[in-house]
Amino acid sequence: MAELPVMPDESHHGTAFVDTRSPKRMAIIGVTPYLYYEDADAALTWLEEVLGFTDPVRWRDESGRVSEADITAGPAMISISGSKTPAHLDDALLIVNVDDIDAQYARITQATDIHVDAPVDQPYGPRTFTIRDPWGYSWTFWQGHANPPSGT
């Protein structure tokens, strides 16, 4: 596969990458995770009550079951399918940036009986902790920025 020609574009807030192959400038403005939960209603409730996500929107099929949904985590939207959860989630990791890792840890440990290790200062910069939801997705809460390796 050929490498895509991209150039940084500083005209937006932050850096966007612009596809230089077409005459129209195209900026990437975000990424939306699309997760599969067999019981989307239960998952949405858990995401709200335990992780503190907000504003769920549910689309139901004729039987009343959630077929699609959206929920927000800060400014980010997460889309959810009400279909079978994939069997292999070990490679999936969702990072949620927060401004107070200790407050988020306290919130989560008060809202669930799932064991969660305390936040840890990582050698590469941020303070983090991870919780695996009842369906197998890993959610890592992250405060701070990663420090680039020296010499880069």
Side-chain angles (χ1 to χ4, degrees):
M1 176 179 264
E3 192 172 313
L4 294 177
V6 293
M7 297 175 51
D9 176 6
E10 299 293 340
S11 64
H12 296 79
H13 298 286
T15 299
F17 288 92
V18 178
D19 185 340
T20 60
R21 295 175 298 173
S22 64
K24 181 180 179 195
R25 295 171 62 101
M26 183 281 306
I28 297 171
I29 58 171
V31 175
T32 302
Y34 189 84
L35 307 177
Y36 296 86
Y37 289 100
E38 193 164 352
D39 185 346
D41 267 326
L44 289 163
T45 298
W46 191 89
L47 292 168
E48 274 188 290
E49 292 178 358
V50 176
L51 301 188
F53 296 172
T54 59
D55 304 320
V57 177
R58 294 166 168 88
W59 287 269
R60 297 185 182 277
D61 62 19
E62 305 78 36
S63 72
R65 190 170 190 271
V66 173
S67 58
E68 299 287 332
D70 291 329
I71 194 164
T72 58
M77 181 177 67
I78 299 166
S79 293
I80 292 174
S81 170
S83 62
K84 186 175 181 190
T85 305
H88 302 286
L89 297 177
D90 294 341
D91 295 333
L93 174 66
L94 299 146
I95 296 173
V96 181
N97 295 285
V98 296
D99 63 357
D100 187 339
I101 196 82
D102 296 307
Q104 182 66 4
Y105 175 77
R107 172 194 170 72
I108 288 174
T109 55
Q110 290 171 5
T112 185
D113 58 359
I114 296 172
H115 174 76
V116 182
D117 288 334
V120 174
D121 294 322
Q122 299 297 336
Y124 48 89
R127 185 166 170 79
T128 68
F129 73 89
T130 300
I131 182 171
R132 185 174 297 268
D133 73 24
W135 298 269
Y137 288 106
S138 290
W139 297 89
T140 293
F141 289 85
W142 178 302
Q143 181 180 352
H145 299 284
N147 300 320
S150 60
T152 60

